[in-house]
């Protein structure tokens, strides 16, 4: 449930379900808005679930559960994964040390399961896990002018600089925490966290005060993150071994044991995984996409692009599958992310769309160079 439904309605929002939570799909003209974010700045209400972890053993407890090192000092965060015994990703998350508690932001559909699982594993530790999703509003501010935007409305300290670090300040009369993101859209970015009661005022401030920001929804988020080469939980991550996705920013190979670590370490020691995440330019769909007005008929893109799971062929051989396709806001061309066999040559690539094979071209990630590079950009040992 959105905390700022009136504001979304005033901007003509169309909604969709994301992990059981009602979020904005778009506000109309999603293609034009995508360009505004890529060229200037935009703001989105994030659909996170939030867990609050308290108690003296909170940092050690979460650190023992996840794939990355949880920071011990206030004001810092980390991107991490929770894995199953086979190394598959059960969820991704951001864990922030907020002094007397850790705040964990994760996909909304995973919140209850993680809270239940972690609570069942607390024995003699001083740890309490609570679902705090209804306590906070979280808004993303992204684009090459996002630092200027935040500076124009943030009272107190300057915007944080190091990725996943944060500062506390104010916007209008509301207390806020401003987090420097790890650039999932391939642009400078921040997340602004506030109390739920202040969400309306903070969102209005982000849209209308200081430097104006274009409101955007998850349709634009998905397209921008695809251009940036950022794998997302609901499309690429769930159930996948992180080495396959090149998610090296989520892995600490020096830390102690966590569930799934043996698989991750074994794949790392082999030098390369069995599959890899690549970008594809869908050349064979250029004319069809060009004939669609992505602002007037955004669903027309959906009917034309390959769906998740569409087969990828190298010559006559099926070598992988599409995880997500979109029309890039910067390029205005159809693109896709795909998981393919690691050693596939990809010389004569095609993607199956509605029973036909459509020509495609392997593309380096990211598809476009923005004001920043996504920390999740796939990176493999053989590339280094």
């Amino acid at each position: 449930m959105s905390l700022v439904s009136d504001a979304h309605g005033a901007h003509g929002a169309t909604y969709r379900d994301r992990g059981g939570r009602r979020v904005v799909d778009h506000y109309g003209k999603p293609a034009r808005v995508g360009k505004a974010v890529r060229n200037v700045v935009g703001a989105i209400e994030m659909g996170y679930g939030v867990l609050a972890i308290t108690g003296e053993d909170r940092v050690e407890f979460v650190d023992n559960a996840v794939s990355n090192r949880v920071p011990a000092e206030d004001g810092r965060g980390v991107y991490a994964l929770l894995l199953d015994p086979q190394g598959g990703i059960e969820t991704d998350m951001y864990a922030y040390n907020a002094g007397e508690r850790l705040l964990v932001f994760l996909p909304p559909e995973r919140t209850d399961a993680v809270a239940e699982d972690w609570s069942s594993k607390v024995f003699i530790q001083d740890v309490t896990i609570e679902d705090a999703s209804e306590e906070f509003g979280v808004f993303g501010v992204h684009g090459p002018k996002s630092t200027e935007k935040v500076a124009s409305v943030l009272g107190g300290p300057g915007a944080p600089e190091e990725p996943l670090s944060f500062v506390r300040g104010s916007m209008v009369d509301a207390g806020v925490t401003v987090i420097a993101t790890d650039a999932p859209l391939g642009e400078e970015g921040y997340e602004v966290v506030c109390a739920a009661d202040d969400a309306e005022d903070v969102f209005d401030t982000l849209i209308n005060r200081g430097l104006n920001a274009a409101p955007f929804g998850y349709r634009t988020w998905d397209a921008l993150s695809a251009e940036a080469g950022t794998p997302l939980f609901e499309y690429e991550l769930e159930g996948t071994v992180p080495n396959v996705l090149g998610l090296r920013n989520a892995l600490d190979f020096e830390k102690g044991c966590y569930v799934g670590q043996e698989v991750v370490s074994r794949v790392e020691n082999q030098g390369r995984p069995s599959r890899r995440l690549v970008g594809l330019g869908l050349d064979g769909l250029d004319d069809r996409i060009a004939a669609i007005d992505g602002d007037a008929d955004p669903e027309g893109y959906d009917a034309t692009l390959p769906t998740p799971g569409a087969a990828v062929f190298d010559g006559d051989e099926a070598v992988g599958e599409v995880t997500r396709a979109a029309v890039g806001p910067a390029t205005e061309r159809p693109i896709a992310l795909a998981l393919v066999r690691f050693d596939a040559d990809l010389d004569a690539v095609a993607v199956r769309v509605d029973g036909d094979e459509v020509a495609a071209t392997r593309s380096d990630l990211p598809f476009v160079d923005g004001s920043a590079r996504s920390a999740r950009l796939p990176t493999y040992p053989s590339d280094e």
Side-chain angles (χ1 to χ4, degrees):
M1 184 70 181
S2 168
L3 295 174
V4 291
S5 296
D6 290 345
H8 292 323
H11 289 283
T14 297
Y15 294 91
R16 80 185 205 203
D17 178 83
R18 179 177 179 266
R21 182 164 180 168
R22 187 174 182 242
V23 298
V24 173
D25 184 34
H26 64 87
Y27 296 93
K29 296 181 171 49
R32 184 180 304 179
V33 169
K35 284 184 175 294
V37 178
R38 190 63 81 202
N39 294 321
V40 190
V41 63
I44 179 174
E45 183 181 17
M46 302 301 297
Y48 289 125
V50 182
L51 295 179
I53 320 296
T54 55
E56 290 294 325
D57 300 322
R58 61 192 179 279
V59 173
E60 181 183 7
F61 178 86
V62 176
D63 186 75
N64 286 338
V66 302
S67 64
N68 215 342
R69 182 75 63 185
V70 176
E73 64 271 30
D74 183 17
R76 297 189 177 276
V78 69
Y79 179 65
L81 308 170
L82 193 65
L83 307 179
D84 64 26
Q86 290 73 46
I89 298 171
E90 292 190 341
T91 190
D92 65 341
M93 66 183 70
Y94 291 99
Y96 297 103
N97 190 319
E100 295 183 354
R101 61 181 175 177
L102 294 178
L103 292 179
V104 176
F105 295 2
L106 67 170
E109 64 268 37
R110 299 301 301 149
T111 309
D112 289 346
V114 173
E116 182 177 349
D117 177 56
W118 282 359
S119 295
S120 71
K121 293 174 179 175
V122 175
F123 299 108
I124 62 173
Q125 301 103 318
D126 179 13
V127 176
T128 301
I129 297 137
E130 296 181 349
D131 185 344
S133 304
E134 300 302 317
E135 296 181 22
F136 300 101
V138 185
F139 303 99
V141 181
H142 298 271
K145 297 290 187 181
S146 61
T147 300
E148 183 179 339
K149 168 67 209 187
V150 168
S152 72
V153 293
L154 178 62
E161 296 182 4
E162 185 178 345
L164 305 186
S165 66
F166 59 87
V167 298
R168 299 174 178 90
S170 63
M171 289 185 182
V172 284
D173 295 326
V176 297
T177 296
V178 178
I179 304 165
T181 72
D182 53 358
L185 304 189
E187 303 289 350
E188 296 176 14
Y190 301 89
E191 288 187 339
V192 179
V193 185
C194 65
D197 289 345
D198 294 323
E200 289 274 4
D201 288 339
V202 170
F203 188 63
D204 178 71
T205 296
L206 294 174
I207 298 298
N208 297 313
R209 303 188 184 193
L211 177 66
N212 287 352
F216 69 101
Y218 271 90
R219 179 178 292 266
T220 300
W221 175 273
D222 289 347
L224 290 166
S225 60
E227 273 192 333
T230 300
L232 301 179
F233 176 73
E234 56 266 50
Y235 298 108
E236 288 86 24
L237 273 65
E238 186 171 11
T240 307
V241 176
N243 314 67
V244 168
L245 298 166
L247 276 177
R248 302 181 69 77
N249 69 311
L251 303 172
D252 184 328
F253 292 101
E254 303 301 323
K255 64 170 291 186
C257 187
Y258 55 87
V259 173
Q261 184 191 35
E262 289 186 5
V263 176
V264 168
S265 296
R266 184 167 64 249
V267 175
E268 175 72 8
N269 292 333
Q270 289 171 352
R272 68 182 193 184
S274 59
R275 298 182 296 160
R276 68 186 303 162
L277 188 67
V278 302
L280 299 175
L282 303 175
D283 308 340
L285 294 178
D286 278 340
D287 290 343
R288 291 187 230 176
I289 289 297
I292 299 170
D293 185 338
D295 285 329
D297 181 24
E299 285 75 18
Y301 286 165
D302 299 341
T304 305
L305 293 167
T307 57
V312 176
F313 292 88
D314 185 4
D316 295 328
E317 182 182 11
V319 294
E321 61 183 29
V322 168
T323 60
R324 179 177 18 147
V327 175
T331 64
E332 298 183 331
R333 293 196 56 218
I335 59 175
L337 296 178
L339 281 171
V340 301
R341 201 178 67 216
F342 197 97
D343 60 358
D345 291 332
L346 303 180
D347 289 331
V349 184
V351 175
R352 182 160 290 168
V353 182
D354 289 335
D356 297 326
E357 291 185 19
V358 173
T361 303
R362 166 80 179 273
S363 176
D364 291 336
L365 295 175
F367 289 97
V368 297
D369 290 320
S371 57
R373 287 175 72 84
S374 170
R376 294 190 218 169
L377 200 64
T379 305
Y380 300 93
S382 58
D383 300 333
E384 296 175 348

